[in-house]
């Protein structure tokens, strides 16, 4: 039986550029009671001292930095949260769903056939029924690392083909 109570639990965030501020990072810490290990992939070294700073790789653009997070190790159990997520109640129960394979939000609010419908325009190609605003996995697991390994085979190709990490994950079968 997996004893999830004795494993380090990390809330992982991603902050780059100016869209979000350290206030958004602080809000996540406050909403979760400050009781977890916090880490942030960021270009901002001026965050709350409770946050482990993980420097952003230079060679990956925008939301594809989320794909890189699957390569991270030694963070225990990870719950990744976008900085615009609003936590309204206790989230402790989510850790019970931890697995080696990343658990990602399925967009139940979209029709299941949404991604297969014909769309016009490049930005409407390769749609996804995933929403990576919240993802849960065990750091260092082979099932997570393979996501980064696949992407890193040809990052330029995947960054041009897909408009974001959700589309990459969906269409590459993760």
């Amino acid at each position: 039986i997996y004893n999830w109570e004795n494993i380090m639990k990390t809330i992982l965030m991603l902050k780059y550029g100016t869209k979000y501020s350290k206030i958004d990072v602080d809000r996540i810490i406050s909403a979760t009671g400050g009781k977890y290990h916090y880490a942030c992939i960021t270009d901002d070294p001026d965050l709350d001292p409770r946050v482990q700073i993980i420097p952003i790789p230079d060679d990956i653009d925008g939301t594809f930095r989320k794909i890189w997070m699957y390569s991270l190790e030694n963070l225990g159990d990870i719950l990744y949260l976008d900085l615009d997520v609003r936590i309204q109640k206790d989230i402790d129960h989510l850790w019970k769903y931890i697995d080696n394979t990343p658990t990602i939000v399925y967009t139940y609010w979209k029709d299941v056939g949404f991604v297969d419908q014909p769309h016009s325009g490049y930005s409407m190609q390769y749609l996804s029924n995933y929403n990576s605003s919240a993802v849960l996995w065990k750091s260092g697991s082979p099932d997570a690392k393979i996501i980064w390994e696949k992407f890193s085979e040809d990052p330029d190709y995947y960054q041009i083909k897909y408009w974001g990490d959700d589309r990459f994950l969906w269409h590459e079968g993760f």
Side-chain angles (χ1 to χ4, degrees):
I1 296 175
Y2 182 67
N3 186 355
W4 58 273
E5 294 182 16
N6 293 329
I7 302 294
M8 177 171 58
K9 297 176 186 76
T10 298
I11 301 290
L12 180 64
M13 299 162 277
L14 171 62
K15 180 193 169 311
Y16 60 93
T18 58
K19 183 174 182 181
Y20 297 102
S21 71
K22 69 178 272 159
I23 292 169
D24 298 300
V25 173
D26 294 344
R27 187 183 38 73
I28 296 282
I29 295 169
S30 177
T32 57
K35 60 186 170 182
Y36 302 111
H37 174 253
Y38 298 91
C40 188
I41 302 166
T42 186
D43 56 5
D44 182 356
D46 187 33
L47 296 179
D48 185 302
R50 293 176 288 179
V51 178
Q52 176 184 346
I53 303 294
I54 301 171
I56 291 177
D58 294 332
D59 56 347
I60 305 167
D61 293 330
T63 63
F64 287 100
R65 292 170 177 150
K66 282 186 181 179
I67 299 297
W68 179 74
M69 73 184 180
Y70 297 112
S71 72
L72 297 175
E73 297 185 8
N74 303 317
L75 291 175
D77 293 347
I78 295 176
L79 173 58
Y80 168 81
L81 296 172
D82 274 351
L83 290 176
D84 59 355
V85 166
R86 297 294 183 250
I87 299 168
Q88 298 179 353
K89 59 183 178 178
D90 187 78
I91 63 169
D92 285 345
H93 68 284
L94 294 177
W95 299 104
K96 294 178 191 174
Y97 300 102
I98 195 77
D99 195 17
N100 285 321
T101 302
T103 301
I104 190 167
V105 175
Y106 180 82
T107 56
Y108 66 86
W109 56 90
K110 294 179 185 174
D111 182 339
V112 70
F114 167 76
V115 298
D116 299 321
Q117 296 172 5
H119 298 281
S120 63
Y122 182 73
S123 67
M124 293 301 288
Q125 294 180 15
Y126 301 109
L127 299 175
S128 169
N129 275 353
Y130 288 155
N131 180 328
S132 62
S133 293
V135 186
L136 189 64
W137 77 97
K138 293 179 184 181
S139 70
S141 77
D143 292 346
K145 290 173 91 172
I146 198 166
I147 295 169
W148 169 248
E149 290 167 2
K150 173 72 173 179
F151 179 81
S152 64
E153 289 173 2
D154 197 347
D156 292 334
Y157 171 76
Y158 292 123
Q159 289 177 94
I160 291 168
K161 181 175 183 178
Y162 301 116
W163 278 40
D165 60 299
D166 294 345
R167 295 176 187 200
F168 169 80
L169 292 168
W170 180 268
H171 290 281
E172 295 300 319
F174 296 107

